[in-house]
Amino acid sequence: MTAPADKGKKAKTDAGEENEQIDGALVLSIERLQEIQDELEKVNEEASDKVLEVEQKYSEIRRPVYLRRCDIIKTIPDFWLTAFLSHPLLSELLTEEDQKMFKYLESVDVDDSKDVKSGYSITLNFSENPYFEDSKLVKSYAFADDGTTTINATSIKWKEGMEVNGNAIKKKGNKRPLVEESFFTWFTDTEHKSLADGVQDEVAEIIKEDLWPNPLKYFNNVSILFGLMHRFILYSYYAGSLKDLSLQEVEEFEDDDEEPSDEEAEEDEDEEN
């Protein structure tokens, strides 16, 4: 007959062995899970490399197309000024003086680094102007492996009395603030040369990711708005709410293909008589 003390010792031994089996199974599952995660990491790294290769390939394919687009844009007066002013965020950058300077802006170019992920540059090409000596202004961004970003920009050679001295208005958040005083204040701002912890240059990102890929949509926004304004003015005139204006003054806003009807013209003539 087994003594009570021996039964208790045996029960503890059985429980200990069972716990060791459970702990061993758990450790084995975690080790197998880690192996799977390591395998997934390798697949993700390979995928990232492949995606980068594709991005590099199509960046090279897009480049000559962008250059052809640039040649056409140069034939359109005030294209970039109009596109910037039409953009809901970038328009906040342009002061009245900036807009005068942008009258001389011939082309904008955004060029990725050869490996795409290491950085990019934004280039503004100006014709001869009364504001600064430079014909080309370049702002570049270089991304390091440790997550920092280094910014460099052309030091603008302002002509006498033309230097911009606007101040940045800082806003809360983890992004660098939009510089509301002047576009050129933002352009020359390289104070924070190492931007860590995910901090971004919002203005540069908007230009690179939104304006640059399709500036025509913003240029067209103004064209469409201007057309609607023409129609509203003409409608208001013919409705009698702009009687103080002459028909000639109103027709200055009219497109060539929007001629008044004969009946409307006769009514206008009767009113003038």
Side-chain angles (χ1 to χ4, degrees):
M1 185 174 181
T2 306
D6 293 338
K7 288 184 178 180
K9 183 182 290 187
K10 183 178 181 182
K12 289 181 180 180
T13 301
D14 293 342
E17 291 176 354
E18 184 178 351
N19 287 337
E20 288 179 1
Q21 291 176 356
I22 294 174
D23 291 343
L26 179 60
V27 170
L28 181 60
S29 295
I30 292 175
E31 289 178 348
R32 292 176 62 187
L33 181 59
Q34 185 61 55
E35 291 175 0
I36 296 296
Q37 287 302 133
D38 291 342
E39 185 177 349
L40 286 172
E41 286 298 322
K42 291 180 181 179
V43 173
N44 291 337
E45 289 177 6
E46 183 179 349
S48 297
D49 292 339
K50 294 295 183 182
V51 169
L52 182 59
E53 289 177 8
V54 172
E55 288 181 353
Q56 291 173 342
K57 174 183 176 181
Y58 282 95
S59 178
E60 294 174 359
I61 292 174
R62 282 192 296 263
R63 188 66 189 157
V65 180
Y66 279 139
L67 294 177
R68 294 206 310 270
R69 185 185 72 178
C70 179
D71 291 338
I72 296 174
I73 287 177
K74 287 180 180 180
T75 67
I76 304 174
D78 298 331
F79 179 90
W80 286 109
L81 170 60
T82 303
F84 268 83
L85 288 177
S86 178
H87 195 284
L89 294 177
L90 296 177
S91 59
E92 297 180 10
L93 283 168
L94 298 187
T95 65
E96 290 185 6
E97 285 302 309
D98 290 345
Q99 293 176 38
K100 294 176 183 177
M101 298 181 203
F102 265 53
K103 284 278 188 180
Y104 298 91
L105 179 57
E106 294 184 330
S107 65
V108 174
D109 185 29
V110 176
D111 191 16
D112 288 311
S113 301
K114 287 187 176 181
D115 62 355
V116 178
K117 68 176 182 178
S118 66
Y120 62 92
S121 63
I122 298 174
T123 302
L124 310 174
N125 294 296
F126 288 85
S127 60
E128 186 176 352
N129 63 80
Y131 300 99
F132 44 79
E133 301 290 346
D134 310 270
S135 60
K136 177 185 292 186
L137 302 179
V138 181
K139 189 163 189 177
S140 63
Y141 297 79
F143 307 136
D145 292 336
D146 61 1
T148 61
T149 301
T150 301
I151 305 174
N152 289 297
T154 301
S155 179
I156 301 177
K157 299 175 182 177
W158 296 99
K159 293 184 178 180
E160 186 176 357
M162 294 299 178
E163 185 172 358
V164 172
N165 291 313
N167 296 316
I169 298 177
K170 296 184 178 179
K171 298 179 180 179
K172 294 181 179 179
N174 71 328
K175 290 191 174 183
R176 302 183 71 210
L178 285 174
V179 181
E180 297 181 344
E181 287 297 320
S182 170
F183 174 87
F184 294 95
T185 307
W186 162 78
F187 182 87
T188 57
D189 178 20
T190 57
E191 180 180 354
H192 304 290
K193 292 189 177 181
S194 293
L195 305 179
D197 302 324
V199 178
Q200 302 165 341
D201 187 324
E202 187 176 3
V203 175
E205 286 195 345
I206 291 172
I207 294 174
K208 180 179 186 294
E209 303 295 341
D210 188 18
L211 182 67
W212 170 249
N214 187 7
L216 184 59
K217 69 180 179 181
Y218 293 106
F219 181 84
N220 281 340
N221 280 350
V222 171
S223 299
I224 293 171
L225 180 61
F226 198 55
L228 291 174
M229 183 180 71
H230 287 177
R231 289 169 173 77
F232 173 78
I233 292 175
L234 288 170
Y235 174 82
S236 298
Y237 176 81
Y238 292 123
S241 59
L242 295 176
K243 291 182 178 180
D244 291 339
L245 294 178
S246 68
L247 181 60
Q248 182 179 358
E249 290 174 318
V250 172
E251 286 180 338
E252 290 179 358
F253 296 94
E254 183 180 6
D255 294 332
D256 293 337
D257 60 346
E258 292 184 346
E259 296 293 338
S261 64
D262 293 339
E263 182 179 347
E264 290 172 332
E266 290 177 2
E267 291 177 358
D268 296 329
E269 186 177 352
D270 290 339
E271 288 179 6
E272 292 176 355
N273 295 332

